Amino acid sequence: MSGIRFERVSVAYGGTTVLDGLDLTVEPGEVMALLGPSGSGKTTALRAVAGFVRPSAGRVFIGGRDVTGLPPHRRGIGMVVQQYALFPHLRVEDNVAFGLKARKTPRGEIRARVAEALEMTGMAGHARRYPRELSGGQQQRVAIARALAIRPGVLLLDEPLSALDARLRSGMLTELARLHRELPDVSFLYVTHDQVEALTLADRIAVMDRARLRDCGTPQELYRTPRTEFTASFVGSANLLPVVVGADMVSFAGRELKVATGDAAPGAAATLCVRPHLVGLGEGPNALRGRLAEVQWRGSTHRLSVDVAGHRVTADVRELRRPPAPGAEITVHFAPDDAVLLAAGVGAHAA
């Protein structure tokens, strides 16, 4: 079975709601990332699918079957958690076989499935080692192999890379993307607070905040045309400028900026979203002049923070040989098509 559906799922502990009316569908074979800060409800949603928490309201479906009342071992899921949860006294091959043995799989089939899962995760040469003899990245591969050995229709991953360093994290993202291509029928539900992981791996991202779903869409949609200020600020960095809507323009700090206003009513208050990498240095369309507050060197780029009439505007520009000094008066600009107008009061939507 594959695919997940949350139908108005709520979870409460001691009168405190930690997941509030979640409506969300993960299609068969899709990678859905649940992205949000700590306490946003994303891990609770995953645990509701796993069967580790019982919803106070609503229903959970896996592959079209209502599993709300089923125990975890009857849901046909694989799960990978942050700390791997490998048994230290068991060799790699026995860790991977654990779920199969619990399901009373025939011995010959267990050997074949363990070998298949280890080969798929690049750990075939480590079958006789103990977890203590492996690196963090290798332990994570074993945890993934164990989850895949039972051939689940749904794979749940709860912050699976957070304990790894940046280099290992990048490598594991590549491996997870490869696994997704090799397992086109398996649905992935991937919990993370890391924007890069979500943008890199997910087919769609569900943005969570304060127990509720705030937005959902493809990584490109949420990054290029966010619907809410929270999405704009959490999915990548963003300049969020308070503006007043005019006819085919907006007013910001006494300056008129040419942007698409869509259906926004003239005179309405709104927020203009511009990604820092789309802000250029020097004269150009929608020029803003201000005082340079901070310069950060980031290797291939410089991040310039400019004070424009009391508002901070950030520009990520190609590395400068001689960057301007803090305190200098400089001009930055952005193209009309690179700005997105966020109307005040825009809510979230489910999918």
Side-chain angles (χ1 to χ4, degrees):
M1 297 189 304
S2 185
I4 305 166
R5 180 160 59 90
F6 297 88
E7 187 179 275
R8 302 299 298 168
V9 174
S10 295
V11 176
Y13 298 126
T16 300
T17 299
V18 293
L19 187 65
D20 189 5
L22 177 61
D23 277 319
L24 184 69
T25 297
V26 184
E27 300 294 344
E30 181 179 35
V31 177
M32 174 72 79
L34 297 182
L35 179 67
S38 298
S40 60
K42 57 189 187 297
T43 294
T44 300
L46 181 139
R47 290 173 63 83
V49 177
F52 298 147
V53 298
R54 182 71 182 265
S56 54
R59 296 186 295 170
V60 178
F61 296 83
I62 296 177
R65 180 177 64 151
D66 187 344
V67 299
T68 311
L70 291 182
H73 68 275
R74 292 184 57 193
R75 298 193 178 201
I77 59 170
M79 188 166 182
V80 181
V81 297
Q82 181 178 345
Q83 298 299 332
Y84 322 141
L86 300 179
F87 298 107
H89 63 289
L90 297 180
R91 297 182 189 272
V92 164
E93 59 188 0
D94 295 317
N95 266 283
V96 176
F98 184 82
L100 295 169
K101 291 178 179 178
R103 287 166 172 76
K104 295 181 169 49
T105 306
R107 185 175 300 177
E109 187 175 346
I110 289 176
R111 285 196 297 268
R113 287 212 206 172
V114 168
E116 177 187 52
L118 290 175
E119 184 68 32
M120 187 175 294
T121 54
M123 291 298 291
H126 299 77
R128 300 291 295 168
R129 293 190 181 183
Y130 288 96
R132 64 178 178 273
E133 299 172 321
L134 304 176
S135 69
Q138 290 171 330
Q139 290 181 39
Q140 187 61 290
R141 289 169 185 259
V142 174
I144 293 171
R146 182 176 58 189
L148 295 177
I150 64 171
R151 295 178 180 170
V154 167
L155 182 61
L156 307 178
L157 302 109
D158 188 9
E159 303 274 11
L161 309 184
S162 61
L164 304 180
D165 62 38
R167 184 176 179 181
L168 284 175
R169 219 167 26 241
S170 177
M172 284 303 302
L173 276 175
T174 301
E175 289 302 311
L176 287 172
R178 179 185 60 79
L179 283 173
H180 178 221
R181 293 192 299 270
E182 294 182 4
L183 301 167
D185 298 326
V186 177
S187 300
F188 288 50
L189 188 61
Y190 190 100
V191 166
T192 183
H193 65 271
D194 188 287
Q195 305 164 10
V196 174
E197 290 180 20
L199 292 171
T200 301
L201 189 64
D203 296 312
R204 286 191 298 153
I205 299 172
V207 182
M208 307 285 294
D209 182 44
R210 287 177 288 184
R212 304 196 68 182
L213 176 67
R214 299 297 175 181
D215 216 336
C216 186
T218 68
Q220 294 83 1
E221 289 169 344
L222 298 184
Y223 189 81
R224 294 172 181 165
T225 55
R227 297 181 65 252
T228 67
E229 288 189 31
F230 181 81
T231 299
S233 61
F234 203 83
V235 182
S237 57
N239 292 298
L240 298 174
L241 310 178
V243 298
V244 176
V245 178
D248 297 323
M249 50 75 67
V250 296
S251 175
F252 166 67
R255 300 160 172 83
E256 291 188 354
L257 303 175
K258 185 72 174 178
V259 298
T261 56
D263 297 329
T271 299
L272 194 67
C273 171
V274 188
R275 298 294 184 183
H277 75 279
L278 298 175
V279 180
L281 179 61
E283 296 293 339
N286 290 332
L288 296 171
R289 188 161 183 81
R291 187 175 299 278
L292 183 61
E294 186 179 8
V295 180
Q296 294 179 354
W297 179 67
R298 299 192 168 196
S300 61
T301 64
H302 273 99
R303 169 161 285 193
L304 309 178
S305 296
V306 187
D307 186 285
V308 180
H311 299 279
R312 187 62 61 94
V313 177
T314 301
D316 288 339
V317 300
R318 187 175 178 178
E319 184 184 14
L320 303 168
R321 290 185 180 275
R322 294 182 178 83
E329 290 285 333
I330 66 170
T331 300
V332 295
H333 67 275
F334 61 89
D337 291 343
D338 289 337
V340 178
L341 194 64
L342 308 176
V346 173
H349 71 287

